[in-house]
Structures are given as C-alpha cells and as structure tokens.
Amino acid sequence: MAPLPDRTAPPGLAALLTLADSRLPAGGHAHSGGAEQACADGIVRDEATLHTFLRRRLATAGRVAAGLAAAACRAAGDPDLLARLDAEADARTPAPSSRAASRAQGRGLCRVGRLAWPHPAWGGLPADPHHPLAVGTAAVAAGLDPLAAASAAAYLSVSGPATAAQRLLGLDPIAVAAVTAGLASTVDAEALRAVLDPWPAMAADPLLDLLAERHAARGDRFFAS
C-alpha cells in the first residue's frame, strides 16, 4: 500500500465545498437565475448558448454576488456595515423579482448555516438578508476567508442556472458539467477581482433584469426565478 502524501488539504476546503454545493438545502434548487426564461425565449438552446449565457451571468450577477460576499465576510458581526451592504445589494439588483429571489435564498442559507456552522456572526445580519451577505457570513462561520466567500458566490451564480437549463432542455448532463467546469478559471478570476476591488466590480445586467421580470409574470414556470 502506497504511503499517504505528505500534505494536508487547505484549511476550510471541506466547508467551502459544502457551501458551494448545490445540494445544500438553501433553496437554490428552486431558482434558475434567469435560465428558465432564457430557455423559453430561445437565448439558451444548447450547450454552446448555455456557455455564453453563463459567462455573461458570471461577469455581471456573479461579479456582484462575489463582491458582496467578500465584503460581507469582512464585515461579519457588524450590523451597521452589513445593513449598508444589504442596501448596496438592493441598489445593484434593479429587478424586484431578482431582489425577492436573492432574499429568499438568503433566508434559506441562514436557516441551514446557523445549524451547520453556529457562530455569533449570524447575529449581525439583517432580518431578511440578500443571498451574497448570507454566503459571506456563512464563510466566516465556517472558518473561511473573503476569497473563499467570493469563490462560492461566483460559482453558485453559474452552477444553479446550468443545472436548471439541463433539466429544462434535456441536455446531456456530462456536457453541461463540462461547460461548468470550463468556467473554473473565470470563476477564480472573478472571485479574486471581487476581493481586490469589490465595488467597481459590481455591474448589473439589463438582460437578466428583463428575463427576471418576464419570468415573474408567467403562470407556467417551474422555477421561482
């Protein structure tokens, strides 16, 4: 039997994997992040157009989420600063339906996070926080740093929509997994950008806002967003 390698995993790696796992019961499985409407409108039709959609989402909504998560990680336990960040999240999420979806996922993550990673930092959050703020606080509670928080938020901005599109269009799961994996370096770059200079990195996407509002008006939707 070969000896085990003389090294250990980075501190907090298992917690980061758990936080970024779509199976974490924080409500993400009920949200498509605009992918459902994008599929309905023909914007996403196959793996190639899904890749384009996810890259765009990562550079806009993902960038906003990563910046907020990193900032919330640094501000953990400070109610005043976290309230300001929550207001920033509102301002940078123009579509009312997107704001509602973010807060719904934030509530879900807080419920799970308080049980999974008990920590005083949870007490600093607003009563109904945006999802990235919950991600940043969960990172602190799990012993992670702002880069890990930003990485989780950036990854979640594409993993959920990718899974939704796969289900809606009946795409090959292996091909969709390859699309998501192919964005790994971009996820890393956005996370690092968010940590180094979070505020200029926050830019909303009018297309995603329009998709969100069109989706909210539908009566035949499978996903909450």
Side-chain angles (χ1 to χ4, degrees):
M1 181 176 178
L4 292 174
D6 187 20
R7 63 176 183 271
T8 58
L13 178 59
L16 175 58
L17 293 174
T18 302
L19 184 58
D21 192 337
S22 61
R23 293 171 297 179
L24 186 71
H29 61 280
H31 296 269
S32 79
E36 181 170 22
Q37 193 60 43
C39 291
D41 290 348
I43 295 171
V44 175
R45 304 177 300 277
D46 50 26
E47 289 85 356
T49 50
L50 175 61
H51 179 265
T52 300
F53 176 79
L54 294 178
R55 280 191 64 92
R56 177 168 180 159
R57 197 173 195 287
L58 181 57
T60 53
R63 188 173 294 177
V64 170
L68 287 167
C73 187
R74 293 191 176 105
D78 185 333
D80 293 336
L81 188 49
L82 287 167
R84 289 172 53 194
L85 289 174
D86 201 63
E88 284 283 353
D90 260 351
R92 296 171 190 275
T93 312
S97 56
S98 294
R99 292 199 296 270
S102 176
R103 292 191 183 280
Q105 291 183 73
R107 288 193 300 270
L109 180 54
C110 285
R111 287 196 298 270
V112 176
R114 284 188 169 99
L115 291 174
W117 303 293
H119 194 281
W122 292 109
L125 280 172
D128 196 21
H130 276 281
H131 185 238
L133 272 66
V135 171
T137 302
V140 169
L144 301 171
D145 61 15
L147 180 58
S151 297
Y155 177 76
L156 288 168
S157 76
V158 294
S159 61
T163 300
Q166 173 194 313
R167 293 166 60 187
L168 290 164
L169 298 176
L171 300 177
D172 179 1
I174 295 176
V176 172
V179 168
T180 306
L183 292 170
S185 62
T186 310
V187 168
D188 290 342
E190 291 295 355
L192 183 59
R193 182 202 301 260
V195 170
L196 295 178
D197 197 11
W199 302 117
M202 296 185 181
D205 185 347
L207 173 61
L208 292 179
D209 294 333
L210 290 172
L211 291 174
E213 291 304 290
R214 282 173 52 78
H215 183 267
R218 291 175 52 178
D220 60 343
R221 60 192 186 187
F222 292 100
F223 292 88
S225 71

